[in-house]
Amino acid sequence: MKPAWDKLMKEYADHKEILIADVDCTAEGKSLCDGVGVQGFPTIKYGDPNNMEDYQGGRDFDALSKFAKENLGPSCGPEHMDLCDAAKKKQIEEFLAMPIADLKAKVKEGEDSMAAAEKDLEELLKSLQKQYEEGQKAKDA
């Protein structure tokens, strides 16, 4: 896969809106890789840097190139409102009109909600694990 990836990086080297790159997740790039959920190597991620997705396609140059042409590039956002549907455009305009303090409060509210959901999930998993272990003990007794 490395030769195909290197060829794709060269193809997009001077592109203004698309970055094709590789990161050494065992050295200087470890924190970046940890942050986007890289767990094995090689892993290909794509999309918004704040919401990277796993690439599941072929690993030869033709497959990688086809995917890049069809899926990479500008997407709906404040800099590319023309790519947004009406609902997303309205949402972005509302966010852009908000004072920064209100935006920060909204982000904190979302983060708090996610943290609470993660805590609830962790408690549920512990409870299920306990039930499983008790069931195994009862079965073995």
Side-chain angles (χ1 to χ4, degrees), residues 54-78:
D54 291 324
Y55 170 75
Q56 300 294 333
R59 301 290 174 120
D60 61 89
F61 176 76
D62 290 339
L64 292 167
S65 182
K66 182 176 189 278
F67 181 85
K69 285 180 177 91
E70 293 175 358
N71 295 281
L72 303 183
S75 60
C76 169

Side-chain angles (χ1 to χ4, degrees), residues 101-128:
D102 292 353
L103 276 173
K104 287 182 178 181
K106 194 124 179 110
V107 168
K108 174 124 177 52
E109 179 183 306
E111 289 172 343
D112 291 348
S113 176
M114 286 175 32
E118 287 176 15
K119 182 180 178 204
D120 291 346
L121 176 61
E122 186 65 33
E123 289 173 10
L124 175 62
L125 291 173
K126 286 178 182 175
S127 170
L128 291 171

